[in-house]
Amino acid sequence: MSNTRFFEQVNLNFDRAAKHLKFTEGLLDQIKECNTVCHFTFPLKKDNGKIETIHAWRAEHSHHKLPTKGGIRYSMMVNEDEVKALAALMTYKCAVVDVPFGGAKGGIRIDRTKYTTAELERITRRFTFELVSKNFIGPDIDVPAPDYGTGEQEMAWIMDTYKSIEPSLNAEGCVTGKPVGLGGIRGRTEATGRGVFFGICEACENKEDMKELGLTVGLDGKTVIVQGFGNVGYHSAKYMMEAGAKIIAICEHDGAIHNEKGIDIEALYKHRNEHGTITTFKDVKLIKDSGSAMELECDILIPAALEAQITADNAPRIKAKIIGEGANGPTTQEAHDIMKDRGALIIPDNYLNAGGVTVSYFEWLKNLSHVRFGRMDRRFEENAARRMLDAMQVMTSRNLSDPEIAKIVAGAGEKDIVDSGLEDTMITAYNEINEIRKQYGVDLRTAAFISAVKKVGVIYEKMGIFP
Ligand code: GLU
């Protein structure tokens, strides 16, 4: 772990970008600060009758756009500094991909494996109650989502609790990452990993950059190491593999596995779900010191676990040519500089893992509009395409088979619309920050910060400061 605190780390990166920007004096300092942070403590009655004090936080970094947005994590590492840093990253991440939210983040300091489902439900519902009573949640105020250690189930409890206290037309939009039957959206679970994939894919399409790295264009045949096999790690690995990359190692907290020929990610996922660990998977070499597996020879390293995993200690030994940051804050600034100086391309977290919040935005829009994407126009699109195809068949005197026709005319359903919206968002933002990188002669991380701070700064400047 680096000695520099996480929020300071984020601000070191902010400062690098700030040097290139001209705003009224003092404004950049205001943007950097975390606007509000609340530390909650509340009692949990355990199943055995004992009372335990639970510590939780919610930080809202910037209110230049509302609602504020960001996940809630359950981890023993949660503290005020961490939620502030992560909330700040949310502000910049949303700005980079043009998602119109301010940044927020929350967390509960618990090891979720130590609690029963009933206890986790009580913790989640009580935290939601606390958030409501302090005005820290609402579809137009602050909208949580899943993060490390939380998923659909917690989001369902949050929504149900909120809705029972504040029943209103738009109550479902108080949280994203919900199960589809409860106002969730198709494609949200895989969204962060899918976005990581789209981002790396776009980077690997850049001929000049690949030439500089001594790599071929495209993902085909590239060797990949993924750190973390949670929601983000698994989905990133899955899509990379499907596009022809070779996943040669996966690192988890209890050990890493390695196979030069590539690991079948679907089989590994099944194995982990059945046995609770990846370390007993067949036909791989087990590496007990999980961290050292990140140092193996490879083209792409995807840290998809927690912050400060690549530090000045291990960065000199990391050989990957591309670092794709799936996690939030996995690389300290010192480590970033070490890897950059040896020529690595670092695709930063505040761009690369924005897929999650992008699809959260789509889910929130769906909740506010009360209609599933594709519901109104899917059949209309299909019929229009069918009429066009019929005319072409008459003109060319060529008849297609029914399955061929069905494939061509198929209208877009919710999942297709979400996926294309996500792909477009990730590609557009990559090209935007890559342009800034060239224009200012900086690295991609600084470019992403320049892009974000410019967008947020302009809003602050236009709004003026409330006297
Ligand atoms: N927790 C995710 C992140 O760090 C998603 C946040 C959201 O969807 O609001 O980006």
Side-chain angles (χ1 to χ4, degrees):
M1 188 67 169
S2 142
N3 291 330
T4 315
R5 300 198 330 155
F6 192 10
F7 191 35
E8 252 173 83
Q9 281 287 344
V10 175
N11 285 339
L12 285 175
N13 291 324
F14 179 103
D15 291 341
R16 271 195 182 165
K19 275 194 237 136
H20 297 271
L21 300 171
K22 283 195 183 66
F23 280 109
T24 314
E25 220 189 309
L27 192 72
L28 291 170
D29 291 334
Q30 163 56 36
I31 295 174
K32 245 162 84 169
E33 286 306 328
C34 186
N35 286 358
T36 349
V37 54
C38 194
H39 179 179
F40 303 84
T41 54
F42 52 85
L44 162 74
K45 192 165 188 181
K46 305 253 303 175
D47 290 352
N48 63 13
K50 287 199 178 132
I51 308 282
E52 190 182 309
T53 304
I54 301 291
H55 289 263
W57 287 264
R58 184 78 183 168
E60 291 172 357
H61 172 261
S62 174
H63 298 90
H64 68 288
K65 295 242 176 205
L66 286 174
T68 51
K69 187 87 190 78
I72 292 182
R73 59 172 56 184
Y74 290 0
S75 130
M76 286 306 286
M77 277 172 65
V78 169
N79 59 48
E80 187 165 317
D81 177 67
E82 188 189 54
V83 290
K84 280 165 71 178
L86 292 165
L89 279 174
M90 286 306 303
T91 295
Y92 307 128
K93 192 189 305 191
C94 289
V96 167
V97 291
D98 285 329
V99 163
F101 295 141
K105 190 70 105 188
I108 305 185
R109 190 193 288 152
I110 52 166
D111 171 356
R112 63 169 300 141
T113 63
K114 304 245 154 61
Y115 297 88
T116 63
T117 305
E119 288 167 346
L120 287 171
E121 178 171 353
R122 288 202 288 283
I123 294 171
T124 309
R125 288 187 183 277
R126 176 63 191 253
F127 184 40
T128 310
F129 183 84
E130 296 290 333
L131 290 171
V132 175
S133 65
K134 301 286 181 301
N135 216 19
F136 265 82
I137 186 172
D140 47 0
I141 301 170
D142 186 356
V143 180
D147 199 86
Y148 186 87
T150 56
E152 280 188 0
Q153 179 59 79
E154 288 73 23
M155 303 308 118
W157 289 328
I158 292 173
M159 199 268 278
D160 183 57
T161 312
Y162 178 84
K163 216 171 160 181
S164 61
I165 312 171
E166 300 275 346
S168 67
L169 187 63
N170 291 330
E172 275 188 359
C174 74
V175 64
T176 58
K178 303 178 289 292
V180 172
L182 272 73
I185 197 164
R186 287 161 189 83
R188 174 62 185 87
T189 309
E190 54 271 47
T192 311
R194 186 94 177 125
V196 167
F197 160 72
F198 283 137
I200 297 179
C201 207
E202 188 59 16
C204 290
E205 284 306 313
N206 192 306
K207 286 195 194 84
E208 275 169 47
D209 290 346
M210 289 307 108
K211 198 168 158 213
E212 232 170 80
L213 293 168
L215 293 172
T216 53
V217 171
L219 282 182
D220 205 30
K222 290 215 163 49
T223 52
V224 181
I225 296 176
V226 181
Q227 188 214 21
F229 203 57
N231 183 37
V232 181
Y234 159 61
H235 283 107
S236 308
K238 172 185 148 95
Y239 295 120
M240 296 289 284
M241 183 183 80
E242 284 173 7
K246 210 158 54 160
I247 318 299
I248 59 160
I250 302 275
C251 319
E252 270 276 72
H253 55 93
D254 55 346
I257 55 170
H258 178 221
N259 183 345
E260 271 308 321
K261 292 201 192 102
I263 298 165
D264 179 345
I265 295 303
E266 281 308 329
L268 179 66
Y269 183 68
K270 226 171 131 231
H271 179 94
R272 202 274 315 273
N273 289 351
E274 273 165 25
H275 301 91
T277 179
I278 62 164
T279 56
T280 49
F281 193 57
K282 274 199 308 232
D283 302 327
V284 291
K285 198 171 121 208
L286 175 66
I287 301 171
K288 287 224 169 80
D289 173 14
S290 180
S292 69
M294 290 204 292
E295 297 161 16
L296 293 166
E297 200 80 50
C298 70
D299 297 323
I300 305 171
L301 170 66
I302 305 178
L306 285 167
E307 59 264 23
Q309 299 298 302
I310 309 178
T311 64
D313 292 339
N314 60 353
R317 295 190 299 276
I318 285 178
K319 299 175 192 71
K321 294 182 172 143
I322 299 174
I323 318 290
E325 296 184 338
N328 287 309
T331 313
T332 65
Q333 193 175 68
E334 280 177 311
H336 171 105
D337 292 348
I338 293 168
M339 295 191 294
K340 189 186 121 189
D341 288 347
R342 70 154 170 77
L345 176 71
I346 302 157
I347 314 177
D349 54 355
N350 57 358
Y351 155 70
L352 195 64
N353 71 34
V357 75
T358 301
V359 177
S360 275
Y361 170 46
F362 301 157
E363 180 175 333
W364 180 79
L365 289 175
K366 175 186 180 181
N367 295 150
L368 299 198
S369 62
H370 301 271
V371 62
R372 185 182 71 236
F373 289 104
R375 176 161 181 178
M376 303 298 286
D377 40 15
R378 179 182 177 149
R379 187 70 50 175
F380 181 83
E381 262 179 38
E382 266 183 29
N383 290 339
R386 205 176 284 275
R387 283 195 297 276
M388 180 81 82
L389 206 58
D390 284 348
M392 282 165 75
Q393 290 192 93
V394 170
M395 285 193 298
T396 58
S397 314
R398 224 196 116 205
N399 284 327
L400 295 165
S401 69
D402 284 347
E404 279 172 325
I405 293 174
K407 208 171 157 199
I408 296 170
V409 303
E414 181 172 80
K415 199 162 193 315
D416 307 304
I417 295 172
V418 164
D419 201 54
S420 85
L422 175 59
E423 182 176 8
D424 185 58
T425 301
M426 294 307 292
I427 292 178
T428 306
Y430 187 83
N431 290 308
E432 203 171 295
I433 60 173
N434 210 24
E435 265 314 299
I436 296 177
R437 172 165 79 126
K438 288 183 208 147
Q439 193 189 335
Y440 287 82
V442 294
D443 53 62
L444 269 183
R445 192 189 310 282
T446 309
F449 268 94
I450 290 177
S451 163
V453 178
K454 256 188 180 177
K455 291 176 191 173
V456 178
V458 164
I459 294 172
Y460 267 101
E461 198 130 71
K462 290 254 153 61
M463 285 190 309
I465 305 287
F466 193 64

